[in-house]
Amino acid sequence: MASRADSAAAAATSRDEMGRSATRLIRQLGLVRLLATLGFLVFALAIARYSTEMPLLGDAENAMYDMRAANFAKKVDQDPRILMVVYTDDTLIDTGQRSPVDRTILANALTNIDRMGAKSIGIDILFDQPQDDDEALKTALRGMRTPTHVAYASNATNTEAIQFRQQQFLEQFLKDVTTDKTKPTSIRLVTDSDGVARRWPDQPKNLPPIMVRAMTPPDPAFADYRGAIRFRLPLSSDRPVINKLPIDLFADPASAEFVASEVKGRHILIGGDFVDFDKFDTPLTRIGDVVTGESQMIGLEVHAHMMSQLLDKDRPFAFPNWSLWAMALTVVIAGCITAISQARAWIMGLLLGSQILFFMTAPFILQYQGFDTLNLPSFGWATGWLLAYTSVGAAARVVGSKQRAFAQNALGKYLPRSVAAEILKDPDKLALHGEKREIFCVFTDLEGFTKLTHAIEPEMVAFLLNNYLDRLADVVLQYGGTLDKFVGDAVVAFWGAPIGFPDDGERAVRAAWAMYEAGEDFRRTAPEGVPPIGRTRVGVHFGEAIVGNFGGEGRIQYTAFGDSMNTAARLEAANKNLDTRVLVSREAAERSGLDWYRPMGRIVLRGRAKPVDIFEPAPDRPESERQAIAELVAAHQAGNDAAVVQLTSQLAELGQEEAIANLFKRLGQTQKGESYVLG
């Protein structure tokens, strides 16, 4: 009993927590945004299910289906069960009749074909207008011993082909010729919105059976089939899938004997094959038949392909409505899950790519396996997935940004913002450990600030220091650096950890120069009564350091330490001796990708033995001037004293600048590339 009560209490607690989570989500997201997101998801689901029936998307789906159907159509030899007997343009010329076609030829052909042992005959010609030779044709039709099916169409289902008065004549004509062997049949074909015949027509109750069903034994599997027409491709261009002979051969008893073998035991389809009449686009011909090159197919041949499919009992599996809904729902759910996934970038890239690839290739694979993919929405899946991914991703970003803003604001009180953001992504990074990383280290110092603090009130000291540090901290964050610490008026920052980027070097050096300029602006805008403030000096170095969270369980700090940090600090201090503003080591300068440096020679930093090549950013100086100084330093390192004297003389006017005058002095005190040792 106690166990059951505990389970009930746990379930109630879980429901309460879910309720609170839902309430919190709605509050963070907002009711309007929540409803908008749900609306987009419903729209995404509709697209993933019904894209084949939508404007634009439907055209894209049709084009993709045609590509599948044409590329995976079976290549077969000529079908020995079906023969097309056609009126041609030559027949029209010979008879002098175009519309309606000459019926005497048809009557004679029917009489001869009837004696040749055909299995069935289908006539795809509407007799909707009177002709002088109607009686001859009626006599032939009434005397048929072969099951013969004569074309019928109604104004209700085919307003373009037949008018009401034509339908009245047609119905009377068919009534006059109907016997046990001769019966009316529907020749109705359907096309999609783009005018392409892809699917079997439906069977309206007011029409007789469709011709191919009427001419073949009943097949329950095809009684209500509305799926794709399985068009076939010939093995070669000179041997079509369905043989086709001109009706003239059968109308003349002499020539009919020679083609009798083509009729016996076959289903005969009779119709027209004219240049500009009764032509259809199909998946095979939409971009030109890949074998024959034909751009369109006559209606009689569409019927022939349908008959061949029926005789082969080739009814491909069509996905039922419920499965299409299930697939659409799966696609939308996949988009939602992917949008809120917290996987690593490469996993996300693989996941996104594989899903899009699946949506585009799955219908091709299914078509190749013999499924009916006519109503399978490949573009709809991709579009529905994208809508779901975008809408849920946007909602997640709204909620996440509010949560991150709250957490980062709290973490930002004792951690740099960049570190706080990284910790929010992966809380395990708060673990007390370090790692070796190659980073760009930046140290700054405000010249003479300690002496200044003795000359002004403490309140003014606090105001000035906070103002100054805010300016430099903003620069670090603007250029994507990690703020390590403030040491009095000094700022320590680095680039390359906890997250490294290819342009860390450029951003670090640009930030160093921007911090110098921020210091200059701080000096110019100092309040009245404040003694002159010194300039900001900056040192930049690239090297290996140990970075991580240090300080014990009670107080942690994300920081870096090591020789590279010490080198950057000594470079900052060297500015005072060298009369420079920003000093960058060769290691950092070469990795920054910037070309705005002027070399300041080679020095040995205080407390070090290994010399360092140093550079000063000079984006405010002409490139020619920087190049001339570079030549001077190169001549000194090569031991070319004459060139050093000559170049120093040429650059004498630059000696008015403190940093250049200092450089001239140091070059004069050293020989053949000797390093200047700082005391």
Side-chain angles (χ1 to χ4, degrees), residues 140-260:
L141 288 170
R142 285 193 290 262
M144 297 297 291
R145 293 171 297 175
T146 305
T148 303
H149 306 272
V150 186
Y152 174 81
S154 71
N155 175 256
T157 57
N158 197 341
T159 56
E160 295 182 1
I162 187 167
Q163 302 299 318
F164 181 70
R165 284 195 298 178
Q166 292 174 290
Q167 181 180 338
Q168 286 183 309
F169 180 85
L170 175 61
E171 289 176 349
Q172 184 59 51
F173 184 94
L174 291 174
K175 184 178 180 181
D176 293 343
V177 300
T178 297
T179 65
D180 290 341
K181 296 294 185 180
T182 302
K183 298 177 181 178
T185 185
S186 170
I187 58 169
R188 181 170 177 263
L189 295 175
V190 295
T191 59
D192 292 330
S193 58
D194 55 358
V196 180
R198 299 183 179 90
R199 64 188 77 237
W200 281 58
D202 57 344
Q203 179 65 66
K205 293 182 179 179
N206 61 340
L207 291 180
I210 294 172
M211 184 162 63
V212 296
R213 291 196 184 108
M215 294 175 63
T216 56
D219 187 341
F222 277 87
D224 58 350
Y225 181 65
R226 290 291 319 283
I229 301 174
R230 289 292 213 193
F231 291 100
R232 321 292 174 92
L233 286 171
L235 290 175
S236 62
S237 58
D238 59 349
R239 189 171 172 82
V241 175
I242 309 296
N243 193 19
K244 179 170 54 178
L245 296 174
I247 196 170
D248 311 58
L249 294 176
F250 298 91
D252 184 354
S255 59
E257 294 301 324
F258 293 102
V259 291

Side-chain angles (χ1 to χ4, degrees), residues 417-473:
R417 285 184 176 272
S418 57
V419 180
E422 180 67 13
I423 290 171
L424 285 173
K425 294 179 183 177
D426 186 1
D428 291 340
K429 290 187 179 294
L430 273 175
L432 298 179
H433 72 277
E435 60 177 339
K436 284 187 177 181
R437 297 283 289 269
E438 289 188 322
I439 61 173
F440 292 85
C441 316
V442 176
F443 272 72
T444 75
D445 183 66
L446 183 57
E447 185 180 25
F449 189 76
T450 301
K451 185 184 295 185
L452 178 67
T453 60
H454 299 296
I456 57 177
E457 296 295 324
E459 293 81 6
M460 181 56 70
V461 172
F463 170 78
L464 290 174
L465 185 58
N466 287 332
N467 187 0
Y468 175 75
L469 294 177
D470 278 345
R471 290 171 183 250
L472 268 62

Side-chain angles (χ1 to χ4, degrees), residues 395-416:
R397 283 192 294 273
V398 170
V399 173
S401 64
K402 292 183 178 180
Q403 293 174 342
R404 283 192 299 272
F406 175 80
Q408 191 163 338
N409 184 55
L411 289 172
K413 294 185 182 298
Y414 63 94
L415 288 175

